[in-house]
Amino acid sequence: MAKKKQTIYSKDWASLHPYQGSARTDFYYTTIANKIYTVLDNLLENEISDENLFYLKEEEKKQLACTLTSYFEDIISETGIFRAFTKEHYRKYNSPLPFFPCNDYANEEINTEDIQFLTWHYFMQLNRGEIPYSPETPLFSRIAEKVMEILDEEYESAPANEKLKGFFDLSPKECTNLY
């Protein structure tokens, strides 16, 4: 099998980060994003229909791959970005995510439901809600399962992005004067 050429580069990855320069983990996460891109490319290629409801341009696939990789980086680095969302949603609705039964949900770990939710959310934002996709769309489930295989394999050895974590660490003074 021929090796897929790199599609996502460090500049693509860096565009999703709030800090200047690069972190020592950027190459690692760019590699993960490229693996996810390949999964997306393969799955979406098989979904072409007359309506092209699931068609994504190359840039959109790159952005979705980077978004899902950023979720993984957030969990590994313990920055708490996605955790803040699930925690607040749980506080309000007694469930970490909307739409999904989260019986085996593992807080502060990667979850297939998270990936499926983020994929659904990406598609909904991309079309500005004009196409009302179901969160339980089978394609979103397949994407989540395949992406989870990649992330699960990397979970125990993935490096934390200390630069990202440091960006979100606030001093006690900053915490009391946040607003």
Side-chain angles (χ1 to χ4, degrees):
M1 181 177 182
K3 184 180 178 190
K4 286 269 190 183
K5 76 175 185 82
Q6 182 173 348
T7 305
I8 298 170
Y9 294 94
S10 57
K11 69 175 178 51
D12 302 312
W13 181 246
S15 71
L16 294 175
H17 289 76
Y19 52 78
Q20 296 295 317
S22 62
R24 66 173 184 79
T25 57
D26 286 348
F27 178 76
Y28 173 84
Y29 286 106
T30 302
T31 302
I32 299 294
N34 275 291
K35 289 179 183 179
I36 292 173
Y37 177 90
T38 300
V39 164
L40 293 172
D41 196 40
N42 292 336
L43 287 171
L44 293 170
E45 186 177 291
N46 295 330
E47 286 294 326
I48 301 301
S49 66
D50 293 337
E51 297 92 26
N52 285 327
L53 294 177
F54 299 109
Y55 175 76
L56 293 181
K57 297 174 196 160
E58 183 174 341
E59 275 306 308
E60 294 165 342
K61 283 186 273 188
K62 287 167 63 170
Q63 188 175 31
L64 178 55
C66 286
T67 298
L68 297 175
T69 305
S70 293
Y71 154 79
F72 182 60
E73 180 185 42
D74 171 54
I75 300 298
I76 295 299
S77 302
E78 298 177 347
T79 54
I81 300 166
F82 194 75
R83 177 73 177 122
F85 168 75
T86 58
K87 191 175 180 181
E88 183 64 14
H89 194 273
Y90 189 86
R91 187 184 70 75
K92 287 183 175 183
Y93 306 106
N94 205 30
S95 175
L97 292 172
F99 315 120
F100 297 100
C102 297
N103 303 329
D104 296 327
Y105 193 85
N107 289 322
E108 300 176 34
E109 291 186 22
I110 56 174
N111 293 280
T112 305
E113 297 91 347
D114 296 340
I115 299 165
Q116 188 168 343
F117 173 78
L118 289 168
T119 302
W120 166 81
H121 186 266
Y122 181 81
F123 273 86
M124 290 299 290
Q125 294 300 310
L126 194 63
N127 73 52
R128 298 181 188 0
E130 292 175 16
I131 301 171
Y133 295 109
S134 167
E136 295 181 356
T137 299
L139 175 63
F140 301 160
S141 297
R142 287 194 300 280
I143 289 172
E145 288 167 11
K146 291 293 185 184
V147 168
M148 188 64 169
E149 288 175 14
I150 293 167
L151 302 184
D152 217 12
E153 187 176 309
E154 298 290 332
Y155 187 73
E156 294 300 324
S157 61
N161 182 341
E162 296 300 330
K163 190 170 186 176
L164 182 65
K165 186 170 174 60
F167 187 85
F168 291 104
D169 283 343
L170 301 175
S171 70
K173 182 180 179 182
E174 291 171 315
C175 288
T176 58
N177 193 18
L178 195 56
Y179 299 102

